[in-house]
């Protein structure tokens, strides 16, 4: 094989790998489809999984939020995520936060700093670390924060009811005009589908491992 053909072949292989990688990252759950199960370490050292909520008769769904410590958008939403948990946990919709970021790229997102951040902000919900990033990929999460509202079926299985942003104003909670998550929860509590089942997640890109 001459050098020109070799170079062309190598370029095609690299291009195919590039598109394959990004296509794989783009895959994820869909509204109406099953949720991805997980069993991840919480900041208290214990493992937390969807099965824990499946067996809880008081749970009607789970709000899964992919977030992190360092992202300015995640920081803007921290208090709102706490408020969502406080408002809807008693209604059967607790929050589970998952940090998918590579701590080698952003040390602020490592496990010890997760513990410190949760304590500082008074997190009332599990804050899990997705060390392999398999769960983030499975859900198709791309941003922090990126929210997925799950509803629980009669058999304890979970399906996805909403994917996207928490609301329509990251900068100011006082200026929110559409509270997507709250509207979605209200809809499913009334046996309806959310008027908006998907929105664009606004935030920092997830820091994938190389």
């Amino acid at each position: 094989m001459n050098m020109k053909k070799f170079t062309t072949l190598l370029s095609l292989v690299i291009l195919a790998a590039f598109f394959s990688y990004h296509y794989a990252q783009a895959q994820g759950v869909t509204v109406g489809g099953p949720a991805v199960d997980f069993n991840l370490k919480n900041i208290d050292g214990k493992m937390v999984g969807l099965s824990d909520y499946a067996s809880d008769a008081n749970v009607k769904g789970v709000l899964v939020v992919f977030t992190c410590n360092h992202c300015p958008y995640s920081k803007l939403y921290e208090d709102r995520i706490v408020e969502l948990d406080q408002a809807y946990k008693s209604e059967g919709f607790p929050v589970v936060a998952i940090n998918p970021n590579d701590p080698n790229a952003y040390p602020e997102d490592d496990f010890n700093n997760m513990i410190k951040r949760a304590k500082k902000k008074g997190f009332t919900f599990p804050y899990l670390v997705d060390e392999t990033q398999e769960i983030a990929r499975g859900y198709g999460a791309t941003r922090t924060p990126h929210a997925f509202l799950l509803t629980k079926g009669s058999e304890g299985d979970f399906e996805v009811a909403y994917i996207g942003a928490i609301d329509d104003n990251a900068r100011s909670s006082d200026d929110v005009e559409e509270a997507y998550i709250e509207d979605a929860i209200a809809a499913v509590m009334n046996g309806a589908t959310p008027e908006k089942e998907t929105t664009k997640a606004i935030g920092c890109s997830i820091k994938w491992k190389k």
Side-chain angles (χ1 to χ4, degrees), residues 107-179:
E108 190 177 343
D109 288 334
D110 70 15
F111 190 70
N112 287 333
N113 283 318
M114 288 174 60
I115 297 171
K116 294 176 184 177
R117 189 69 186 174
K119 183 177 181 180
K120 179 180 179 179
K121 297 302 296 184
F123 285 2
T124 56
F125 44 80
Y127 189 20
L128 314 180
V129 57
D130 184 9
E131 292 181 302
T132 67
Q133 301 185 319
E134 289 180 6
I135 304 306
R137 294 185 190 280
Y139 274 86
T142 59
R143 301 283 173 180
T144 54
H146 203 156
F148 297 77
L149 177 63
L150 314 179
T151 55
K152 189 169 74 172
S154 58
E155 301 299 320
D157 53 322
F158 287 88
E159 70 174 41
V160 182
Y162 169 84
I163 301 172
I166 292 170
D167 56 45
D168 69 348
N169 198 317
R171 296 293 180 186
S172 172
S173 59
D174 292 333
D175 295 321
V176 169
E177 295 183 0
E178 290 189 89

Side-chain angles (χ1 to χ4, degrees), residues 11-65:
S11 298
L12 289 172
V13 170
I14 293 173
L15 192 62
F18 174 83
F19 282 112
S20 176
Y21 173 77
H22 286 276
Y23 178 78
Q25 281 194 185
Q27 300 308 292
V29 296
T30 57
V31 171
V36 173
D37 196 9
F38 56 80
N39 191 41
L40 301 172
K41 186 168 71 172
N42 189 19
I43 50 173
D44 61 3
K46 298 178 181 178
M47 303 300 288
V48 174
L50 268 184
S51 59
D52 299 320
Y53 298 94
S55 59
D56 188 337
N58 295 318
V59 171
K60 301 173 185 175
V62 176
L63 174 58
V64 175
V65 182

Side-chain angles (χ1 to χ4, degrees), residues 71-88:
C71 173
Y73 288 92
S74 291
K75 291 178 180 179
L76 285 168
Y77 273 109
E78 284 173 326
D79 291 340
R80 276 176 267 185
I81 294 171
V82 171
E83 290 170 1
L84 285 168
D85 186 60
Q86 292 175 336
Y88 293 104

